[in-house]
Short mmCIF file of all heavy atoms in Angstrom, two decimals:
data_model
loop_
_atom_site.label_atom_id
_atom_site.label_comp_id
_atom_site.label_asym_id
_atom_site.label_seq_id
_atom_site.Cartn_x
_atom_site.Cartn_y
_atom_site.Cartn_z
N GLY A 13 5.76 10.46 13.92
CA GLY A 13 5.73 10.23 12.48
C GLY A 13 6.93 9.48 11.96
O GLY A 13 6.80 8.59 11.11
N SER A 14 8.12 9.82 12.45
CA SER A 14 9.32 9.14 11.96
C SER A 14 9.30 7.66 12.34
O SER A 14 9.73 6.80 11.56
CB SER A 14 10.58 9.82 12.51
OG SER A 14 10.57 9.84 13.93
N ALA A 15 8.77 7.35 13.53
CA ALA A 15 8.63 5.95 13.92
C ALA A 15 7.58 5.24 13.07
O ALA A 15 7.73 4.07 12.72
CB ALA A 15 8.28 5.86 15.40
N THR A 16 6.52 5.96 12.74
CA THR A 16 5.45 5.38 11.93
C THR A 16 5.94 5.08 10.51
O THR A 16 5.59 4.04 9.93
CB THR A 16 4.23 6.31 11.90
OG1 THR A 16 3.79 6.54 13.25
CG2 THR A 16 3.10 5.73 11.08
N VAL A 17 6.73 5.99 9.96
CA VAL A 17 7.31 5.75 8.63
C VAL A 17 8.13 4.47 8.63
O VAL A 17 8.02 3.62 7.73
CB VAL A 17 8.16 6.96 8.19
CG1 VAL A 17 9.01 6.62 6.96
CG2 VAL A 17 7.27 8.16 7.89
N GLN A 18 8.97 4.29 9.65
CA GLN A 18 9.79 3.08 9.73
C GLN A 18 8.92 1.84 9.92
O GLN A 18 9.20 0.78 9.33
CB GLN A 18 10.79 3.20 10.88
CG GLN A 18 11.90 4.19 10.63
CD GLN A 18 12.74 3.83 9.42
OE1 GLN A 18 13.02 2.67 9.16
NE2 GLN A 18 13.14 4.84 8.65
N GLU A 19 7.87 1.96 10.72
CA GLU A 19 6.95 0.84 10.92
C GLU A 19 6.28 0.44 9.60
O GLU A 19 6.16 -0.75 9.29
CB GLU A 19 5.89 1.25 11.95
CG GLU A 19 4.78 0.25 12.16
CD GLU A 19 5.18 -1.00 12.92
OE1 GLU A 19 6.18 -0.96 13.67
OE2 GLU A 19 4.49 -2.03 12.77
N LEU A 20 5.84 1.42 8.83
CA LEU A 20 5.17 1.15 7.56
C LEU A 20 6.11 0.50 6.56
O LEU A 20 5.78 -0.50 5.91
CB LEU A 20 4.59 2.44 6.99
CG LEU A 20 3.42 3.06 7.72
CD1 LEU A 20 3.16 4.48 7.22
CD2 LEU A 20 2.16 2.21 7.56
N ILE A 21 7.31 1.07 6.42
CA ILE A 21 8.27 0.53 5.47
C ILE A 21 8.68 -0.88 5.88
O ILE A 21 8.81 -1.78 5.04
CB ILE A 21 9.49 1.47 5.35
CG1 ILE A 21 9.08 2.78 4.67
CG2 ILE A 21 10.63 0.80 4.58
CD1 ILE A 21 10.16 3.84 4.62
N GLY A 22 8.86 -1.08 7.19
CA GLY A 22 9.22 -2.41 7.67
C GLY A 22 8.16 -3.46 7.39
O GLY A 22 8.47 -4.66 7.29
N ALA A 23 6.89 -3.01 7.28
CA ALA A 23 5.79 -3.93 6.99
C ALA A 23 5.53 -4.08 5.49
O ALA A 23 4.57 -4.75 5.09
CB ALA A 23 4.52 -3.44 7.68
N GLY A 24 6.37 -3.44 4.67
CA GLY A 24 6.25 -3.61 3.22
C GLY A 24 5.47 -2.54 2.50
O GLY A 24 5.23 -2.67 1.29
N HIS A 25 5.06 -1.49 3.20
CA HIS A 25 4.33 -0.40 2.54
C HIS A 25 5.30 0.61 1.94
O HIS A 25 6.46 0.73 2.37
CB HIS A 25 3.43 0.31 3.55
CG HIS A 25 2.36 -0.55 4.14
ND1 HIS A 25 1.30 -1.01 3.40
CD2 HIS A 25 2.19 -1.05 5.39
CE1 HIS A 25 0.51 -1.74 4.17
NE2 HIS A 25 1.03 -1.79 5.38
N GLN A 26 4.82 1.36 0.96
CA GLN A 26 5.54 2.52 0.44
C GLN A 26 5.03 3.75 1.18
O GLN A 26 3.84 3.84 1.51
CB GLN A 26 5.29 2.70 -1.05
CG GLN A 26 5.79 1.57 -1.92
CD GLN A 26 5.36 1.81 -3.37
OE1 GLN A 26 4.25 1.45 -3.77
NE2 GLN A 26 6.24 2.40 -4.15
N VAL A 27 5.91 4.71 1.41
CA VAL A 27 5.53 5.92 2.14
C VAL A 27 5.79 7.15 1.30
O VAL A 27 6.87 7.30 0.71
CB VAL A 27 6.28 6.04 3.48
CG1 VAL A 27 6.00 7.38 4.16
CG2 VAL A 27 5.89 4.90 4.42
N LEU A 28 4.78 8.03 1.26
CA LEU A 28 4.91 9.37 0.69
C LEU A 28 4.75 10.33 1.86
O LEU A 28 3.67 10.44 2.44
CB LEU A 28 3.82 9.61 -0.36
CG LEU A 28 3.74 11.00 -0.98
CD1 LEU A 28 5.01 11.33 -1.76
CD2 LEU A 28 2.50 11.13 -1.87
N GLY A 29 5.82 11.01 2.23
CA GLY A 29 5.79 11.85 3.42
C GLY A 29 5.71 13.32 3.08
O GLY A 29 6.37 13.80 2.16
#
Side-chain angles (χ1 to χ4, degrees):
S14 57
T16 302
V17 168
Q18 289 299 322
E19 174 73 22
L20 291 167
I21 291 174
H25 297 291
Q26 296 175 275
V27 173
L28 176 63

